[in-house]
Amino acid sequence: MMRIKEIYIHPVKSLRPISLSSAILTATGIPHDRRYMLFKHNPSASDPANQLQRMTVTCFAELGLFTQSLSEANDGKFTVTYNPPPGAEKKKTQLGLEFDPDVQALEEMEVNLHGSKTRAMDMGREINGWFSDCFGWDVICVYMPKGSTRQVLGNLAPNAVGDGTKEGGSGNSWFSTLTAYVPESLKGKEDEEEEEEEEEEGITFADCAPYLVVTEESVRDVSSRLPDGAEMDVTKFRPNIVLEGADEAYEEDYWGAISILPSHADDGNQTDDKSSEVEILLTQNCIRCQSLNVDYTNGTYAKTEEGAVLKKLMKDRRVDQGKKYSPVFGRYGFLGGKGEGRGGMVHVGDEVRLSKRNGERTKFYWPGLM
């Protein structure tokens, strides 16, 4: 029997996560996950396109020095803590951020992440200054306000056309492609309802999907490749949901959907009512990069065997023909079901069953994402 072992959110993208005992699953992900993002400001760059460089742990190992935690006051805030590396002159320092800040007075800007654009708000001098002091260069912290999302590209969304691999393909349903060419005056109520449903497949600053699911069994396999006594830190895979109880490592490569049977809200006991199940559609593999090699203590890419995790996975985990030169670990997911009733509260310890198994591995495609 599979169960949820861990639940994580990353309020600021690429910083270390917050562990939760329960969470509400929504169409755009767990609330507050990856709504903030950092950019390195290079105003002297000759090309305007290079003046803002997105900061992800793939390229900025220093992001591993920042932890996030819930406010003890339970006041709608969380705390970002900068933990300087050993021997550094800088001191440990903290910043409080709101999950849902007032954005009325903030400057709006456009953010392009992996070719998928959205509007975001520049959080201003005080917050930008705190991050800039920690990093030693100019940083802009942005927030994606409620109502804003990014479009899901390629073949990631559950309603993607075919395999979504045609050049320039958006991965949206045939309906959205058709209605894009219909004048507004000719669109009826059903059209509007369908468009609203399509808009629900938006994402925050998560790379490609609202959810990332991994299994403890696969994490344990990675640990077995490290020196004796070393264990792989599951948070380096940046999951939202960690499952335990899979039959074997990497069997999730073939998973098409999982269903979570939430605990009873009143007494914490598991319910047998399948109508309350929360389904996550697992559409594509997660392609991995050198973020797996980050040394969280020093904010660098580790020089020991623990800094060779990506290389170790290259040997036998390059199993996705869409990205055949990169290893795979975990599955991207979207909330299943339709209408307002889908989703719901889930807890660590909730039972999980495999509700769909694919006959073959999926083939990842997101235009321009290398």
Side-chain angles (χ1 to χ4, degrees), residues 54-312:
R54 64 175 179 265
M55 294 178 63
T56 64
V57 73
T58 303
C59 300
F60 292 86
E62 299 92 337
L63 290 163
L65 297 172
F66 294 80
T67 55
Q68 304 179 85
S69 58
L70 296 175
S71 170
E72 294 182 359
N74 193 26
D75 55 0
K77 297 181 180 180
F78 66 100
T79 301
V80 178
T81 302
Y82 171 62
N83 305 281
E89 295 182 0
K90 295 179 179 179
K91 303 297 183 181
K92 181 176 180 177
T93 181
Q94 295 184 322
L95 172 71
L97 290 174
E98 295 179 281
F99 282 120
D100 295 309
D102 184 354
V103 300
Q104 292 185 0
L106 300 180
E107 181 179 350
E108 182 175 321
M109 57 187 291
E110 182 181 77
V111 172
N112 185 337
L113 178 59
H114 306 316
S116 179
K117 298 179 181 179
T118 189
R119 72 182 188 97
M121 315 306 291
D122 182 338
M123 289 303 296
R125 181 178 300 177
E126 181 179 352
I127 292 173
N128 293 344
W130 185 86
F131 280 109
S132 298
D133 289 343
C134 292
F135 284 105
W137 59 72
D138 288 343
V139 175
I140 294 178
C141 175
V142 304
Y143 170 77
M144 184 187 296
K146 286 184 176 180
S148 293
T149 57
R150 293 168 46 238
Q151 184 182 14
V152 180
L153 305 182
N155 62 359
L156 274 289
N159 58 359
V161 179
D163 65 1
T165 56
K166 292 183 178 179
E167 184 175 356
S170 68
N172 282 337
S173 73
W174 64 269
F175 185 89
S176 63
T177 304
L178 174 64
T179 55
Y181 298 96
V182 177
E184 292 293 329
S185 60
L186 298 182
K187 294 182 182 180
K189 182 178 180 180
E190 291 184 358
D191 300 314
E192 294 174 357
E193 291 175 350
E194 185 70 28
E195 283 188 333
E196 290 176 0
E197 184 173 325
E198 290 301 325
E199 290 174 355
E200 289 182 343
E201 299 299 356
I203 50 177
T204 60
F205 289 131
D207 281 339
C208 300
Y211 297 98
L212 178 57
V213 178
V214 306
T215 69
E216 173 64 21
E217 288 68 30
S218 297
V219 175
R220 194 175 299 129
D221 173 81
V222 177
S223 296
S224 72
R225 305 175 188 219
L226 299 176
D228 290 345
E231 291 188 8
M232 183 65 189
D233 185 340
V234 67
T235 67
K236 293 184 180 181
F237 292 109
R238 317 199 70 76
N240 295 110
I241 298 175
V242 182
L243 303 181
E244 61 180 350
D247 291 337
E248 59 184 34
Y250 308 118
E251 71 166 89
E252 62 271 20
D253 288 0
Y254 295 92
W255 291 357
I258 56 173
S259 293
I260 303 168
L261 190 59
S263 301
H264 193 280
D266 296 328
D267 58 17
N269 294 324
Q270 204 79 36
T271 173
D272 293 327
D273 181 10
K274 290 191 175 182
S275 66
S276 66
E277 287 186 343
V278 179
E279 185 179 43
I280 298 180
L281 306 177
L282 302 174
T283 62
Q284 294 296 331
N285 301 311
C286 182
I287 311 302
R288 293 301 175 171
C289 61
Q290 65 175 345
S291 64
L292 302 181
N293 299 337
V294 172
D295 177 344
Y296 281 162
T297 300
N298 294 292
T300 60
Y301 298 106
K303 296 179 174 58
T304 62
E305 282 289 292
E306 295 175 29
V309 174
L310 184 67
K311 183 178 180 180
K312 293 176 184 294

